[in-house]
Amino acid sequence: GAVVSQHPSRVICKSGTSVKIECRSLDFQATTMFWYRQFPKKSLMLMATSNEGSKATYEQGVEKDKFLINHASLTLSTLTVTSAHPEDSSFYICSALGQGAGETQYFGPGTRLLVL
Amino acid sequence: AQSVTQLDSHVSVSEGTPVLLRCNYSSSYSPSLFWYVQHPNKGLQLLLKYTSAATLVKGINGFEAEFKKSETSFHLTKPSAHMSDAAEYFCVVSEFQGGKLIFGQGTELSVKP
């Protein structure tokens, strides 16, 4: 149980385009989802916290207009990187939290974004 | 404010020998503590968690960790390393169950044959 999926697993896009990443909790309802960014050989940096049906809470230094987060249902959150630039290239990981998951964050497999 | 420090950025052991990955935390509250493992280009897998129950926590794949409040430590151990244990390990603290996670910088574990 407590499986979280992400789609796509890998995406390459041109500079200036937008990319949407989906995060789904497959076997539980996620009241809260988190989005992280991980640079090579580095730890995870929390970008934002999203609660179903409300606006996401962004961490300091994260541009909310650049990283749009939508948590439209209890099983789906999306992260859209708008007007992507090469410096946005990174590994993006989501996690989901819900009562069905024992109040533990379960992580998705990550999405590798490369902006050319 | 909470923080977590992983004392070694890289640990190398031989297969079959014990593993010790060190972690110290700082928290104003009784924290929840976790160890996650990440294999290359993969997401994170929960190894074990401490949430104010037994101080010795047993996890998956033979790993365990002991919560020592007096030392503010939560070191991860395994009696005998396996080649498949080679990965990045993160010690994580949360102020409360379901709260924001604060990650350590990670420890890369290498296992030599």
Side-chain angles (χ1 to χ4, degrees):
Chain A
V3 178
V4 177
S5 70
Q6 278 184 245
H7 178 78
S9 59
R10 181 185 295 266
V11 57
I12 301 173
C13 69
K14 293 182 179 180
S15 186
T17 61
S18 294
V19 175
K20 180 184 285 187
I21 302 169
E22 293 185 349
C23 176
R24 294 182 184 273
S25 57
L26 298 184
D27 49 6
F28 65 100
Q29 293 186 326
T31 53
T32 304
M33 287 184 169
F34 302 84
W35 287 95
Y36 296 83
R37 183 173 179 176
Q38 185 178 32
F39 292 98
K41 301 290 186 181
K42 296 291 185 182
S43 186
L44 276 72
M45 180 192 78
L46 179 64
M47 298 174 65
T49 302
S50 74
N51 293 295
E52 186 267 337
S54 63
K55 289 185 178 180
T57 301
Y58 290 82
E59 295 299 301
Q60 193 172 9
V62 178
E63 299 177 60
K64 63 180 181 180
D65 294 330
K66 179 165 188 61
F67 299 99
L68 300 178
I69 291 172
N70 184 284
H71 193 162
S73 77
L74 286 172
T75 59
L76 174 65
S77 176
T78 61
L79 167 68
T80 301
V81 183
T82 62
S83 187
H85 290 282
E87 57 265 31
D88 299 325
S89 299
S90 193
F91 195 49
Y92 293 88
I93 304 175
C94 73
S95 70
L97 177 70
Q99 291 187 348
E103 294 296 333
T104 296
Q105 285 190 36
Y106 287 89
F107 286 79
T111 296
R112 175 77 59 193
L113 171 63
L114 177 61
V115 183
L116 302 177
Chain B
Q2 300 174 90
S3 66
V4 59
T5 302
Q6 292 182 241
L7 300 170
D8 306 290
S9 59
H10 185 250
V11 170
S12 182
V13 301
S14 297
E15 190 175 21
T17 64
V19 175
L20 170 63
L21 305 183
R22 299 183 294 166
C23 172
N24 286 100
Y25 70 92
S26 173
S27 176
S28 303
Y29 305 89
S30 295
S32 293
L33 292 159
F34 309 81
W35 277 97
Y36 283 89
V37 61
Q38 184 181 33
H39 289 89
N41 295 312
K42 300 288 186 183
L44 279 75
Q45 181 183 21
L46 178 67
L47 280 178
L48 49 83
K49 65 178 179 179
Y50 166 79
T51 54
S52 75
T55 56
L56 181 62
V57 182
K58 294 188 182 298
I60 62 172
N61 300 336
F63 285 95
E64 62 181 39
E66 185 172 8
F67 174 72
K68 292 186 176 180
K69 186 174 181 179
S70 61
E71 299 176 11
T72 61
S73 69
F74 190 57
H75 301 333
L76 181 70
T77 60
K78 182 174 180 177
S80 176
H82 192 272
M83 295 296 290
S84 60
D85 294 328
E88 188 85 15
Y89 291 79
F90 293 98
C91 181
V92 183
V93 65
S94 175
E95 184 176 284
F96 52 87
Q97 283 202 68
K100 185 190 306 186
L101 299 183
I102 306 297
F103 280 77
Q105 288 304 304
T107 298
E108 182 181 2
L109 175 65
S110 300
V111 182
K112 298 176 290 186

